[in-house]
């Protein structure tokens, strides 16, 4: 009987591992560094504020960097690693080439500030610094501040080939979005809340030109907005031309992104589909009508995102240089 119970427990454990492969969050806690580096959060916050004062791009660049990191092999700072020798790292995959350098620089500067404190030197992971910096940039742009779970280790690998198929694309429909987010333990509501990060930042014309030059025009696209986009993105435009994701309040973290969707002003197909598809429209309407509801859902979703694929002392390390494995 005892042997049977042992087999049953082992079987249930294996089932749990299969069902929940993306969350290894037991090691994470908001006070992880309380005795290791007690002033960590203030050190990072001050470094992020200094970077923010240099350029607003710090905000969307850092937020996007966190997302791109967590969706590929988990939140392990593998996106920060530079290619070397025969290894092409994640940051050099085609999907990551548009990541703004200011996001990387934010983490590098914050890491340097942390390591300048003897008690903290080489004790804090790059993955945790990125998670903290992400919270700080959201708050600097007027968004909610929130407690950040800490205790991640940095990944031991970073391969461009791992990025393929793991990041949402501008042309995705709702099923494709839900499938990708579900693979990371995130619900449709989480996905819609995290999409609200598009209230900040910019994109390049080639990422949505198919929408504004299709024949007939994408019916979900506001005609007046389409005309404005055509003027800003004429055919054969310089591919470096940047267009705000949110045409109304591009420097404020708010719920205007969802109000734009209600008016057909989502820049990407994957934005506008959240309102066009009846299955997600109610959530968009809810977030558009109540900024507190959006903020609460965003905090819950980005906290869950921060638990994806967390590394520990057995399959990770604390990098001394965030760009070197």
């Amino acid at each position: 009987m005892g042997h049977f119970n042992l087999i049953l427990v082992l079987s249930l454990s294996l089932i749990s591992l299969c069902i929940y492969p993306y969350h290894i969050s037991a090691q994470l806690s908001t006070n992880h560094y309380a005795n290791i580096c007690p002033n960590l959060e203030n050190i990072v916050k001050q470094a992020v504020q200094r970077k923010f004062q240099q350029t607003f791009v710090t905000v969307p660049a850092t937020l996007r960097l966190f997302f791109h990191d967590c969706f590929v092999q988990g939140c392990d700072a593998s996106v920060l690693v530079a290619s070397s020798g025969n290894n092409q790292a994640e940051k050099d995959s085609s999907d990551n080439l548009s990541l703004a350098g200011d996001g990387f620089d934010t983490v590098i500067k914050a890491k340097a500030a942390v390591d300048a404190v003897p008690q903290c030197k080489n004790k804090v992971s790059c993955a945790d610094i990125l998670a903290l910096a992400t919270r700080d940039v959201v708050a600097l742009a007027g968004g909610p501040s929130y407690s950040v779970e800490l205790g991640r280790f940095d990944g031991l690998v970073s391969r461009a080939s791992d990025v393929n198929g793991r990041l949402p694309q501008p042309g995705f429909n709702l099923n494709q979005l839900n499938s990708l987010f579900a693979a990371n333990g995130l619900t449709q509501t989480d996905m819609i809340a995290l999409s609200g990060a598009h209230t900040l930042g910019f994109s390049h014309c080639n990422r949505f030109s198919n929408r504004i030059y299709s024949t007939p025009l994408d019916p979900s696209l506001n005609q007046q907005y389409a005309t404005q986009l055509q003027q800003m993105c004429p055919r054969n435009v310089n591919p470096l031309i940047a267009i705000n994701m949110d045409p109304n309040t591009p420097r404020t973290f708010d719920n205007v992104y969802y109000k734009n969707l209600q008016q057909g002003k989502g820049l990407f197909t994957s934005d506008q589909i959240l309102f066009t598809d009846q299955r997600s429209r109610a959530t968009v309407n809810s977030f558009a009508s109540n900024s507190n509801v959006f903020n609460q859902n965003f905090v819950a979703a980005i906290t869950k995102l921060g638990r994806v694929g967390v590394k520990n002392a057995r399959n990770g390390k604390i990098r001394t240089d965030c760009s070197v494995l």
Side-chain angles (χ1 to χ4, degrees), residues 3 33 44 65 71 107 129 135 141 144 149 201 207 210 216 252 306:
H3 178 66
Y33 292 101
V44 172
L65 192 62
F71 259 46
V107 179
I129 289 173
R135 182 268 309 274
E149 296 176 341
R207 301 291 281 174
N210 62 311
T252 306

Side-chain angles (χ1 to χ4, degrees), residues 228-249:
Q228 292 171 349
L229 291 173
Q230 287 170 350
Q231 291 169 351
M232 292 185 285
C233 291
R235 293 183 188 274
N236 304 316
V237 69
N238 182 335
L240 298 179
I241 294 293
I243 304 299
N244 289 326
M245 296 292 299
D246 176 349
N248 293 316
T249 58

Side-chain angles (χ1 to χ4, degrees), residues 273-291:
I273 197 67
L274 302 181
F275 183 75
T276 306
D277 196 305
Q278 295 287 349
R279 293 171 293 170
S280 48
R281 180 178 293 183
T283 304
V284 169
N285 288 338
S286 172
F287 292 172
S289 64
N290 192 320
S291 59

Side-chain angles (χ1 to χ4, degrees), residues 23-65:
H23 287 179
I24 313 172
S25 57
Q27 74 194 48
L28 299 182
S29 69
T30 55
N31 62 353
H32 178 81
Y33 292 101
N35 298 318
I36 302 167
C37 181
N39 203 31
L40 172 64
E41 298 203 26
N42 282 331
I43 297 169
V44 172
K45 184 174 292 184
Q46 288 170 14
V48 172
Q49 285 175 332
R50 286 193 293 272
K51 177 67 181 174
F52 173 74
Q53 286 164 0
Q54 294 171 4
T55 173
F56 181 83
V57 178
T58 301
V59 175
T62 305
L63 183 52
R64 188 164 177 244
L65 192 62

Side-chain angles (χ1 to χ4, degrees), residues 15 72 94 116 131 172 175 195 213 240 244 273 292 319 322:
I15 290 169
V72 182
S94 58
F172 269 14
N175 289 342
S195 296
Y213 288 113
L240 298 179
N244 289 326
I273 197 67
N292 288 330
R319 278 188 226 135
C322 294

